[in-house]
Amino acid sequence: MLLNEILALSAEHLWLVAVAVITAAAIAGPLAVLLTRHARPRRWTLAAVNVIQTIPSLALFGFLLPLPLIGGVGKRTAIVALVLYALLPILRNTVVGIMGIDPHVRQSAVAMGMTDSQILRSVELPLAMPMILAGLRIATVTTIGTATIAAAIGGGGLGTFVFRGIAMVDTKTILAGAVPAALMAITADEVLEWVERRFSV
Amino acid sequence: MNGLPEANINYDGPMAALVEFQSLTYEIAGRAVLRGIDLRIEENETVVLLGRSGSGKTTLLKMVNRLLEPSSGAVLFSGKSVTASDPITLRRGIGYVIQEGGLFPHQSVAQNVGLVPWLQGWPEDRIAARVRELLEAVGLSAAVYAGRYPKQLSGGEKQRVGIARALAADPPLLLLDEPFAALDPITRFEMQQHFSRLRKAYGKTALFVTHDIREALLLGTRIALLHEGRLDVVASPDDFLRTESVHARAFLATLNEWSPN
């Protein structure tokens, strides 16, 4: 019975993480590409996303609770917070990956007569791919950890065990949440690192 | 000075210049980089832009394919102002070679060389045939090198691939920005000779930036010496050796240590 609950909460946890990371990637990817083209918004956007990252996660969940539309107790609020945390690594790595390409390579791409979108698709994204994937990996692994706190605002997932265990002062119940979450993080790290290596130049 | 190409350019001829700079100036952040450049480059010439660091030679080169735009004056390519041309079409019609070739590290030698034909939508078999032809022309066996990646090449090999890439779509003009500067002296000498033969065989016009006086004398049909954004001397190699210009003499003085065969 405990095993069934672990499996159910693990699935829920994984779902929270997947929705948050995919949403964050869908926002951060195109935003990062835009930012590589414009220096001034790049600085303040990265600064803003950096600030979000410094807010303690429990506090951020608390801040979001009273907000209309995105707030309230439940999964939606949890996902909004997780997306905000996952933005930074993806955004920063994509920007740094593209900006870090050898300027000679970009210059010769321009000089050969490639259009901006050809340069993006055929030069910048392939060359930045290992960095972008590293950003996705960091975002995924940290989101798996942060998602345990989502249970505090009714987000569900493996954090449910952790908070229940804390309330009952029962180590075994805490471990029932913490161990699967740790295994999930390690597995995600290994799998995504393998994908990253396959893309490295 | 055996082996120097003969300067046989008819400056008074009615032939249209392939490239023409007209009272060209370029300023950035209040600093004048180019101050009134007038120069005509005829077909089949190799004009070497010689100068010290910061003399404006690379800037002048970049004006031709619109990597930079003039502050005033004009650049004509085939009689047409480049600023009135679509930059993408313009660039696909001009070969460009930089140090280390500027090769794409994630693409094979064949993909690098076939880049401009691919951009122009050539059919695949025609691109493959052109790539083979050019690799052989620059002295690389297509069977051996087509599938390699830039990191598997030596400096000289990268440069050969860079030149093959610039020639791929058969542009009338090549722009070369210190292409051999990073090579060891022996490889460099081989590449200079090879480039010279190749340019003649393909009948290309070249604008070649260097700070190396030996390279300028070896490759140039004319040498254009830039000093602080102005053209100081424009002369054939033979005339350049006899010029009175102090800036040219300063370059020639570096040859004293060198004894030609």
Side-chain angles (χ1 to χ4, degrees), chain B residues 234-247:
Chain B
V234 181
S236 70
D238 286 343
D239 290 340
F240 192 87
L241 289 169
R242 291 189 290 269
T243 174
E244 301 292 317
S245 151
V246 284
H247 306 304

Side-chain angles (χ1 to χ4, degrees), chain A residues 4-159:
Chain A
N4 279 343
E5 203 180 356
I6 289 177
L7 285 177
L9 288 176
S10 292
E12 192 177 42
H13 199 88
L14 203 58
W15 183 82
L16 275 176
V17 171
V19 171
V21 172
I22 289 167
T23 308
I27 297 168
L31 181 61
V33 169
L34 276 177
L35 292 180
T36 59
R37 266 82 181 144
H38 305 281
R40 206 177 319 175
R42 176 167 69 240
R43 263 174 306 220
W44 61 252
T45 308
L46 285 176
V49 179
N50 257 320
V51 168
I52 294 176
Q53 201 75 7
T54 63
I55 304 172
S57 45
L58 201 52
L60 184 63
F61 286 119
F63 288 142
L64 289 175
L65 277 179
L67 294 182
L69 293 175
I70 56 167
V73 172
K75 286 201 169 49
R76 193 178 48 198
T77 314
I79 286 171
V80 170
L82 293 177
V83 167
L84 286 174
Y85 279 116
L87 280 178
L88 178 72
I90 302 173
L91 191 69
R92 192 176 44 199
N93 275 39
T94 307
V95 169
V96 169
I98 291 177
M99 304 287 292
I101 292 168
D102 181 352
H104 288 113
V105 169
R106 187 179 286 101
Q107 194 191 80
S108 64
V110 174
M112 296 289 143
M114 297 181 90
T115 62
D116 193 51
S117 71
Q118 285 168 335
I119 292 173
L120 180 68
R121 273 181 289 123
S122 304
V123 180
E124 291 179 319
L125 289 181
L127 285 174
M129 197 47 76
M131 274 294 275
I132 296 171
L133 290 173
L136 271 174
R137 178 169 58 88
I138 295 163
T140 306
V141 172
T142 54
T143 303
I144 291 170
T146 315
T148 53
I149 303 171
I153 55 163
L158 289 164

Side-chain angles (χ1 to χ4, degrees), chain B residues 2-217:
Chain B
N2 282 333
L4 281 181
E6 287 294 316
N8 56 349
I9 307 304
N10 177 12
Y11 301 111
D12 304 314
M15 202 168 78
L18 186 63
V19 180
E20 186 168 356
F21 299 105
Q22 295 177 334
S23 316
L24 185 80
T25 68
Y26 180 71
E27 286 172 25
I28 187 156
R31 197 172 73 87
V33 182
L34 295 172
R35 317 160 188 240
I37 304 286
D38 286 287
L39 183 65
R40 287 166 61 92
I41 295 147
E42 311 289 341
E43 275 178 35
N44 262 311
E45 271 197 286
T46 298
V47 172
V48 173
L49 299 174
L50 177 70
R52 303 181 65 171
S53 303
S55 59
K57 52 194 191 303
T58 295
T59 307
L60 186 58
L61 193 77
K62 288 179 175 173
M63 297 280 160
V64 180
N65 60 356
R66 281 188 76 178
L67 293 180
L68 295 171
E69 310 248 326
S71 303
S72 70
V75 185
L76 308 185
F77 175 60
S78 296
K80 192 180 169 199
S81 168
V82 295
T83 43
S85 313
D86 168 49
I88 301 299
T89 317
L90 175 81
R91 288 168 188 151
R92 288 179 188 175
I94 297 175
Y96 189 73
V97 187
I98 56 178
Q99 240 182 66
E100 298 274 299
L103 301 178
F104 296 164
H106 61 301
Q107 294 192 347
S108 70
V109 164
Q111 285 173 306
N112 269 288
V113 174
L115 179 70
V116 180
W118 175 73
L119 290 173
Q120 292 183 336
W122 291 20
E124 263 177 51
D125 51 344
R126 192 172 154 217
I127 297 177
R130 181 70 176 160
V131 166
R132 275 196 301 277
E133 178 199 338
L134 281 166
L135 285 179
E136 301 292 343
V138 297
L140 297 174
S141 153
V144 176
Y145 286 92
R148 291 206 182 164
Y149 283 80
K151 66 179 173 191
Q152 299 167 302
L153 305 177
S154 71
E157 289 165 346
K158 277 183 199 162
Q159 217 44 265
R160 287 171 194 268
V161 174
I163 290 171
R165 179 169 75 169
L167 288 168
D170 205 21
L173 176 68
L174 297 180
L175 304 176
L176 303 104
D177 190 359
E178 307 206 26
F180 309 140
L183 303 178
D184 71 72
I186 295 164
T187 310
R188 183 173 193 161
F189 187 61
E190 282 169 12
M191 285 305 297
Q192 287 164 344
Q193 302 209 310
H194 194 86
F195 170 74
S196 187
R197 282 198 300 274
L198 210 59
R199 190 198 65 76
K200 284 188 195 119
Y202 280 89
K204 299 299 175 195
T205 308
L207 199 52
F208 192 111
V209 164
T210 185
H211 53 232
D212 181 345
I213 176 69
R214 271 182 268 181
E215 191 162 76
L217 291 168

